Each structure stands twice: as C-alpha cells, then as structure tokens.
Amino acid sequence: MSQTTASHAAATATGTAPVETTRGGRWARIALRAVQVLLALFFGIASALPKLVAHSSAVEPFERMGWGDAGMYTIGALELAGAVALLIPVLQSVAALALSGLMVGAFVVQLTVFDGEHAATPLILLSPLALVAWVRRGHTAELVRMLRPVRHSA
C-alpha cells in the first residue's frame, strides 16, 4: 500500500480529510504550511525569545502580574516548545491546541491585570491556531496510536 493510499485510509478511518484531498489541494497545503511557519516564527522569536533572554519588555509585565522570573521563563519555554512543535507533522495539531490554551490564558490576563491593553493580540492568534488544530487533527489520532502501548498476546 502506497504512503498516499495509507494516509487516505487512515484519514478515512479517523473521519478526517487530509489537506491533500480538499479543493485546491496543493495551494491549500502551501498556505497552511505558511501559516504554521509564520505562527512558529511569531511564537519562537517575537514572543518566547524576549522572555527567555529576560528582555525588559518581558520582565516588567511578569513582575506586574506577580509571576516573576519563574513565570516568565515557563511561559517562554512553553511558547518555544509550541513553536517548534508546530513544524513537526505529528505534533502540529496538539501544538496548535496547546498554544491556543496559552492564548486564552493571555487574553484573561490582559483583561484582568492589564485592563484589556493588548487583549486583541491573543484573540487574533486564536483563529490561525484553531485552523491548524482543525485541519491537522488527523495527526493527533496518529500521535495517540504511536503512544499507545503495544499489547502482546500470551
């Protein structure tokens, strides 16, 4: 069975259509991949890096929240891990879901701690993250299959 046929069979079994079989297949794959790369660059460079190098633009908000360095480094590490995982096929959907969770948290913090100052940013990021999570959802089923222990019959 060819890889394409196996991929289609797996997608059919999980109820998800691979991007390749949707209308505009090739261009849809390219566009989705571009969205993923842009998200990865944003989360890895623009968001995680300032936190991980303790840039003053990141330090002040975390001090204001009362989370300090530990919170800043933790969020930075999670964003960097999510950015990298957005580029790894089997982790793409899970990464988009995890980063979406971070964005929901960021939205709540922006509203409650910073009076909604930059609340639109996490909301804007939720749309492309949700798109990636939905379209790549077949990879989540694949990841679950990979992580399931193999049962040997006695």
Side-chain angles (χ1 to χ4, degrees):
M1 181 183 296
S2 74
Q3 185 176 2
T4 305
T5 306
S7 173
H8 183 69
T12 303
T14 61
T16 61
V19 174
E20 295 81 8
T21 63
T22 61
R23 197 173 71 195
R26 181 170 187 255
W27 291 111
R29 281 193 325 270
I30 291 169
L32 184 64
R33 194 60 167 164
V35 167
Q36 288 177 240
V37 168
L38 289 172
L39 285 167
L41 288 171
F42 173 81
F43 280 105
I45 296 171
S47 194
L49 189 61
K51 294 172 183 82
L52 295 174
V53 299
H55 189 271
S56 61
S57 65
V59 171
E60 189 274 323
F62 279 90
E63 286 178 357
R64 192 166 154 196
M65 287 186 288
W67 293 11
D69 289 347
M72 179 181 65
Y73 291 130
T74 300
I75 298 296
L78 290 171
E79 288 175 337
L80 183 60
V84 171
L86 277 172
L87 304 175
I88 300 171
V90 74
L91 299 176
Q92 294 167 346
S93 181
V94 172
L97 286 172
L99 289 169
S100 294
L102 279 176
M103 291 303 95
V104 169
F107 175 72
V108 170
V109 167
Q110 290 299 328
L111 287 180
T112 59
V113 177
F114 300 104
D115 300 320
E117 189 176 335
H118 298 288
T121 303
L123 289 180
I124 291 167
L125 290 167
L126 276 172
S127 294
L129 287 168
L131 174 69
V132 171
W134 178 256
V135 174
R136 302 292 194 198
R137 68 193 181 278
H139 292 296
T140 303
E142 182 182 341
L143 179 62
V144 169
R145 280 192 302 278
M146 288 172 53
L147 295 176
R148 249 188 216 140
V150 177
R151 295 186 182 174
H152 299 284
S153 53

